[in-house]
Amino acid sequence: MLTVDFSRFPLAPGDRVLDLGCGAGRHAFECYRRGARVVALDRSSEEIREVAKWFAAMKEAGEAPEGATATAMEGDALHLPFPDESFDVVIISEVMEHIHDDKGVLAEMVRVLRPGGRIAVTVPRYGPEKICWALSDAYHEVEGGHIRIYKADELLARIEEAGLVPYGTHHAHALHSPYWWLKCAFGVDNDKALPVKAYHQLLVWDIMKKPLATRLAEQALNPLIGKSFVAYATKPALPRAQA
């Protein structure tokens, strides 16, 4: 399940990609399949071990084109272990809402992104996220949980302040918002509640089968209750003063 829309965020074979806070690796895997040279970085050693295993399995299965590379590594988003201008593309998906120093993270992403490079940022959308917070303290009051809720204009302002130029936005995963509302209402750790189990089965079916009916429904509902807000931006080829 991808949050970044690669039709709006195109990759070229050989692009150097950083998936920052990669988690289970969903975007890193897609970039690898598209022929990129991918670095998947996360603070969780457990997640990184699993991502590395999947990269190896993909290589063995021939899922990535010739020339594509993939590395999984543990690291700190506020102190990236890369030289300036190391990447053509940076993706940070559902991460910034967890980090106190979000300006610091954006500054590091801009530092390692080459001039003319592209960045994709996704965060939980304000409205659906507010409902989750209202329904359950346990949803966000946990170690490593969500510490803020972004409004779209606030996130875009942060991106611009970091020196990037936004060029597009959209919402994603509308069908997932009701699932999280149910989780919050019945208990975030209570996966046995019948409404939660039933809706989860619907989501799994949708992800696996991709039926036209649910695809059209989600497309229609994304502007209203899309779970994620996605923003795309570029790093100017010249400093703004020179441009």
Side-chain angles (χ1 to χ4, degrees):
M1 184 187 74
L2 299 173
T3 307
V4 172
D5 180 351
F6 286 94
S7 69
R8 310 182 195 216
F9 191 67
L11 291 182
D15 273 353
R16 300 163 297 169
V17 177
L18 173 62
D19 185 1
L20 181 54
C22 64
R26 57 201 173 106
H27 290 106
F29 300 149
E30 181 65 20
C31 294
Y32 189 32
R33 290 188 187 97
R34 290 170 179 259
R37 292 175 287 165
V38 184
V39 175
L41 183 143
D42 200 279
R43 64 181 295 181
S44 168
S45 58
E46 183 178 345
E47 295 272 31
I48 287 302
R49 283 194 296 270
E50 286 301 310
V51 170
K53 289 178 184 177
W54 279 104
F55 278 150
M58 290 173 67
K59 182 177 181 179
E60 185 174 346
E63 290 190 37
E66 185 177 351
T69 61
T71 303
M73 62 185 295
E74 190 175 348
D76 182 353
L78 288 165
H79 303 283
L80 296 175
F82 311 112
D84 296 355
E85 302 178 8
S86 297
F87 295 96
D88 303 298
V89 172
V90 178
I91 297 171
I92 184 166
S93 182
E94 312 299 302
V95 173
M96 287 181 57
E97 68 275 10
H98 297 272
I99 299 177
H100 287 277
D101 186 8
D102 58 345
K103 291 184 179 181
V105 172
L106 280 168
E108 273 292 86
M109 288 190 287
V110 171
R111 180 184 69 78
V112 302
L113 185 66
R114 69 163 175 82
R118 303 175 305 286
I119 187 170
V121 181
T122 91
V123 297
R125 185 183 186 175
Y126 183 82
E129 185 76 348
K130 284 286 285 186
I131 294 172
C132 288
W133 283 45
L135 288 171
S136 171
D137 291 337
Y139 171 79
H140 62 97
E141 291 182 355
V142 295
E143 184 178 357
H146 298 184
I147 61 171
R148 71 173 66 81
I149 308 176
Y150 288 100
K151 291 183 177 178
D153 56 353
E154 292 173 343
L155 179 62
L156 292 173
R158 287 270 203 282
I159 290 171
E160 290 179 329
E161 288 167 8
L164 298 165
V165 180
Y167 70 83
T169 65
H170 64 91
H171 300 99
H173 309 319
L175 296 183
H176 288 249
S177 289
Y179 172 71
W180 282 102
W181 297 338
L182 288 170
K183 288 269 287 181
C184 290
F186 285 92
V188 291
D189 296 320
N190 181 13
D191 293 328
K192 295 182 178 180
L194 182 58
V196 175
K197 287 178 64 177
Y199 202 97
H200 183 262
Q201 290 173 354
L202 170 66
L203 291 179
V204 171
W205 173 75
D206 174 58
I207 291 169
M208 298 301 294
K209 301 297 185 181
K210 297 181 174 61
L212 179 60
T214 55
R215 294 301 85 218
L216 291 175
E218 184 155 78
Q219 185 177 350
L221 290 170
N222 274 336
L224 301 174
I225 60 169
K227 182 75 170 65
S228 294
F229 174 71
V230 188
Y232 306 104
T234 59
K235 180 177 177 178
L238 293 172
R240 287 188 175 182
Q242 296 181 37

